[in-house]
């Protein structure tokens, strides 16, 4: 692997006889099935720059290099595996790929399916005669974006946000994980240099289109009895942090009257959030992460911090809902003798994928439905900068961010074939 600090290099391709034979998606997914399994939560816990995620990065680099791809790690920690043109010209490069990090106790497919499918799609493309040397006019690059889930540092799609400048570099570097380590510290421990992190306009200028394949995170395809879909839009979504402060005290000696218990305030507010979202058609609001300070069985907490995830197709309605939640929180906090703070951590407006690129995908997959998604993706961040599209693969459980997430082997192969077909047209433009 080469790094982009300070110079990009184009290594010599691996000779044909030493190259990895074609793999199936199922084989590739099988190779990483033992990495990052979480015995407590079930499923996989692969936070960015954890041992598990770093191991998966190593797996990807090895797979890409065996295929003769030229792998770089950029200054923000994203991996780029290039199938270059003989000329070395990367103008208008076609990008595919996804992420390898996971939520705590997540499923096997969210992220890795897009990466494995990209490798398999490359295998198919490499073998296609019309794409050999002269016919192909665009470089292909498989990208792996770090911290897509934001499960370690709180901001989703951190890698693509840094790349595109969608987050201020200083803010990103100062984000903290649960142990109080800053992103800058963790990235440095991994070998990145925070001084070089941030927007990469030169890289962005090379990219012509991005097609991300992803497991479907709902039952749309199951209900339509179809294996693959084309992405229509991504629901606008944001994350906020709430802090309730009360008075820490003894569970036995403090009478029920006069307590300032932030956990009681938090509980009331969580229910209020659910009710407010239910009264806002199309909205989703979730509290999925909550931290009690100090967190003792016989201790009235002194503070409770929690995260709020709100999504709605209309960003104005999202803002209004968060305002109502804040107002409600202030009221509850006052009634419980506590104080409340609320701060926005990230906001991603609703994204509609590029109509031209999506139309090309539709023409190569005429039976595939177009489905919107409530989940965020790096494709959503990149959509503001280059034509972007997504392919979803059926998930019969309809469940995601949970060990029950599932993809049938046959559907995984169909997804990779659909991805290859979509990329083929773009590579000979
Ligand atoms: C990422 O999967 C998200 O939608 O939060
Ligand atoms: Mn994902
Ligand atoms: Mn996810």
């Amino acid at each position: 692997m080469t790094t982009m600090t300070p110079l990009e290099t184009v290594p010599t391709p691996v000779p044909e006889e030493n190259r990895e034979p074609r793999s199936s998606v199922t084989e590739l997914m099988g190779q990483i099935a033992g990495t990052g399994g979480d015995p407590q939560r079930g499923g996989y816990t692969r936070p960015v720059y954890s041992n598990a995620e770093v191991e998966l990065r190593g797996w990807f680099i090895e797979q890409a290099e065996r295929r003769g791809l030229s792998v770089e790690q950029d200054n923000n920690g994203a991996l780029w595996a290039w199938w270059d043109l003989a000329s070395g010209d990367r103008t208008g490069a076609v990008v595919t790929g996804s992420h390898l990090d996971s939520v705590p106790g997540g499923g096997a497919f969210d992220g890795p399916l897009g990466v494995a499918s990209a490798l398999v799609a490359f295998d198919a493309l490499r073998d296609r005669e019309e794409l050999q040397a002269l016919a192909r006019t665009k470089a292909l690059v498989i990208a792996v974006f770090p911290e897509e889930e934001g499960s370690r540092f709180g901001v989703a799609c951190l890698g693509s946000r840094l790349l595109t400048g969608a987050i201020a570099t200083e803010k990103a570097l100062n984000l903290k994980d649960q142990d109080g380590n800053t992103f800058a510290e963790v990235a440095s421990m991994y070998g990145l240099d925070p001084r070089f992190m941030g927007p990469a306009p030169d890289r962005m200028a090379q990219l012509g289109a991005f097609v991300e394949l992803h497991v479907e995170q709902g039952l749309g395809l199951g209900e339509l009895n179809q294996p693959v879909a084309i992405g229509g839009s991504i629901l606008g979504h944001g994350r906020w942090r709430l802090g309730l402060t009360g008075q820490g005290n003894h569970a036995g000696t403090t009478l029920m009257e006069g307590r300032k218990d932030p956990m009681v305030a938090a509980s009331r507010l969580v229910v209020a959030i659910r009710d407010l979202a239910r009264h806002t058609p199309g909205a989703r609001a979730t509290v999925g992460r909550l931290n009690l300070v100090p967190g003792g069985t016989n201790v009235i907490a002194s503070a409770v911090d929690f995260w709020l995830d709100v999504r709605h197709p209309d960003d104005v309605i999202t803002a209004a809902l968060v305002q109502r939640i804040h107002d409600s929180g202030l009221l509850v906090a006052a009634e419980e003798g506590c104080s409340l703070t609320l701060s926005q951590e990230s906001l991603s407006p609703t994204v509609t994928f590029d109509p031209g690129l999506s139309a090309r995908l539709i023409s190569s997959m005429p039976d595939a439905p177009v489905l919107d998604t409530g989940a965020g993706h790096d494709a959503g961040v990149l959509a503001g900068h280059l034509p972007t599209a997504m392919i979803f693969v059926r998930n019969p459980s309809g469940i995601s961010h949970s060990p029950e997430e599932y993809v049938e082997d046959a559907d995984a192969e169909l997804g990779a074939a659909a991805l290859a077909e979509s990329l083929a047209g773009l590579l000979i433009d």
Side-chain angles (χ1 to χ4, degrees):
M1 184 193 63
T2 57
T3 67
M4 283 177 61
T5 314
L7 279 178
E8 291 180 3
T9 60
V10 181
T12 323
V14 172
E16 193 76 42
E17 61 276 15
N18 296 347
R19 286 185 189 165
E20 178 85 346
R22 273 162 161 269
S23 310
S24 67
V25 178
T26 306
E27 278 161 10
L28 291 176
M29 293 297 290
Q31 289 171 9
I32 58 173
T35 305
D38 190 326
Q40 267 85 42
R41 300 178 177 99
Y44 293 93
T45 297
R46 298 160 166 169
V48 71
Y49 303 136
S50 62
N51 290 342
E53 199 248 8
V54 170
E55 199 177 310
L56 292 189
R57 288 165 163 269
W59 163 82
F60 171 73
I61 292 165
E62 193 191 329
Q63 285 299 323
E65 289 186 339
R66 276 196 205 172
R67 286 168 166 79
L69 300 175
S70 149
V71 184
E72 299 163 352
Q73 176 171 277
D74 74 15
N75 296 332
N76 295 314
L79 298 172
W80 302 85
W82 290 91
W83 185 27
D84 277 308
L85 294 171
S87 67
D89 183 9
R90 291 177 170 179
T91 314
V94 176
V95 191
T96 186
S98 193
H99 61 99
L100 293 170
D101 63 299
S102 80
V103 297
F109 300 92
D110 180 352
L113 183 68
V115 176
S117 301
L119 291 165
V120 171
F122 164 75
D123 291 343
L125 292 167
R126 183 186 53 193
D127 292 351
R128 283 172 75 139
E129 252 173 66
E130 73 265 35
L131 290 172
Q132 299 301 334
L134 292 177
R136 188 161 63 94
T137 59
K138 299 283 189 319
L140 176 75
V141 58
I142 304 177
V144 175
F145 293 103
E147 184 66 328
E148 190 272 351
E149 298 289 4
S151 59
R152 182 159 185 184
F153 292 99
V155 175
C157 301
L158 191 55
S160 54
R161 282 182 205 270
L162 277 164
L163 169 71
T164 57
I167 185 167
T169 310
E170 213 42 43
K171 176 177 172 180
L173 293 177
N174 286 309
L175 293 170
K176 288 193 175 145
D177 68 9
Q178 249 165 344
D179 299 326
N181 305 305
T182 64
F183 180 60
E185 287 162 353
V186 172
S188 302
M189 274 188 276
Y190 171 67
L192 296 168
D193 188 336
R195 288 174 306 163
F196 299 122
M197 295 182 107
D202 292 353
R203 168 50 41 90
M204 289 304 296
Q206 292 176 324
L207 311 181
F210 179 39
V211 182
E212 180 174 1
L213 178 145
H214 205 277
V215 59
E216 195 201 353
Q217 297 170 292
L219 274 174
L221 282 167
E223 283 166 0
L224 293 166
N225 200 23
Q226 290 283 342
V228 293
I230 294 155
S233 68
I234 294 183
L235 201 62
H237 54 286
R239 294 179 179 190
W240 289 260
R241 243 182 137 145
L242 291 99
L244 279 158
T245 307
Q247 177 59 62
N249 214 331
H250 193 290
T253 60
T254 317
L255 298 180
M256 296 313 288
E257 293 73 36
R259 286 188 180 203
K260 296 176 178 175
D261 186 341
M263 186 57 200
V264 173
S267 310
R268 289 182 57 189
L269 184 50
V270 169
V271 175
I273 288 167
R274 193 271 313 263
D275 294 343
L276 287 165
R278 277 190 175 168
H279 287 99
T280 310
R284 295 117 207 238
T286 308
V287 176
R289 184 170 158 198
L290 182 144
N291 182 38
L292 278 81
V293 181
T297 310
N298 55 352
V299 182
I300 299 167
S302 57
V304 173
D305 296 315
F306 60 98
W307 292 77
L308 170 69
D309 179 308
V310 180
R311 308 188 187 212
H312 192 279
D314 184 335
D315 303 324
V316 174
I317 296 181
T318 302
L321 176 56
V322 172
Q323 185 59 53
R324 281 201 294 281
I325 290 171
H326 193 189
D327 293 345
S328 170
L330 289 170
L331 210 68
V332 166
E335 284 173 8
E336 297 297 337
C338 299
S339 60
L340 174 80
T341 58
L342 180 145
S343 57
Q344 182 181 290
E345 290 293 312
S346 64
L347 188 67
S348 306
T350 292
V351 165
T352 302
F353 290 116
D354 185 74
L357 185 57
S358 298
R360 296 187 64 158
L361 265 62
I362 291 168
S363 68
S364 66
M365 293 179 262
D367 293 336
V370 176
L371 293 179
D372 298 329
T373 178
H377 300 284
D378 292 303
V381 175
L382 290 174
H385 302 266
L386 64 148
T388 297
M390 288 192 77
I391 295 173
F392 297 127
V393 180
R394 173 164 52 192
N395 170 4
S397 74
I399 293 173
S400 189
H401 286 184
S402 159
E404 282 85 45
E405 182 182 86
Y406 184 60
V407 172
E408 298 276 2
D409 294 352
D411 285 354
E413 307 311 330
L414 285 172
L419 178 63
E421 195 56 41
S422 310
L423 298 173
L426 301 173
L427 290 170
I428 55 172
D429 257 355

